[in-house]
Amino acid sequence: QNVKIGDPLTLVVSIDSQDIYGMHVTECYVRDGLGWSEQQLINEEGCPLDDEIMGSFEYSASKTTALVHFQAHKFPYTPSVYYQCNVRLCIRHAGGCDDVVSILIHRPM
């Protein structure tokens, strides 16, 4: 689907719902698809580098879904952009996901 610069977008990352693992989204990049340019949006700690481009991910209580709202943007010389993020798994029952700090999202059951 075509979008215009400034259109509201949502990036959703999720893993299968279960009781053992949660996740932490880290190191997100936007790339031009041509190999000419890339920009890091989220660092290795999962924190945004520029809130004007992309803010913090919001996590479900189970830490199995994360989303971030942002406005569409692009590189000036190509109509396409590509997003890539790393996902670090954590073990929920041992407190291994306690460092995943963000606003909680509420999803209907």
Side-chain angles (χ1 to χ4, degrees), residues 28-93:
C28 292
Y29 291 86
V30 60
R31 294 188 167 98
D32 62 8
L34 302 172
W36 294 352
S37 185
E38 73 177 24
Q39 181 176 358
Q40 188 174 18
L41 303 174
I42 304 293
N43 69 15
E44 57 280 347
E45 301 297 320
C47 300
L49 296 175
D50 185 345
D51 283 320
E52 294 294 319
I53 299 174
M54 181 178 281
S56 297
F57 274 88
E58 302 173 15
Y59 291 83
S60 63
S62 65
K63 303 290 196 303
T64 57
T65 300
L67 62 83
V68 62
H69 302 288
F70 61 101
Q71 293 181 331
H73 53 270
K74 68 183 255 351
F75 294 94
Y77 51 84
T78 181
S80 300
V81 293
Y82 301 86
Y83 297 93
Q84 176 184 336
C85 297
N86 290 336
V87 174
R88 188 187 82 212
L89 296 179
C90 52
I91 299 174
R92 290 173 42 198
H93 73 275

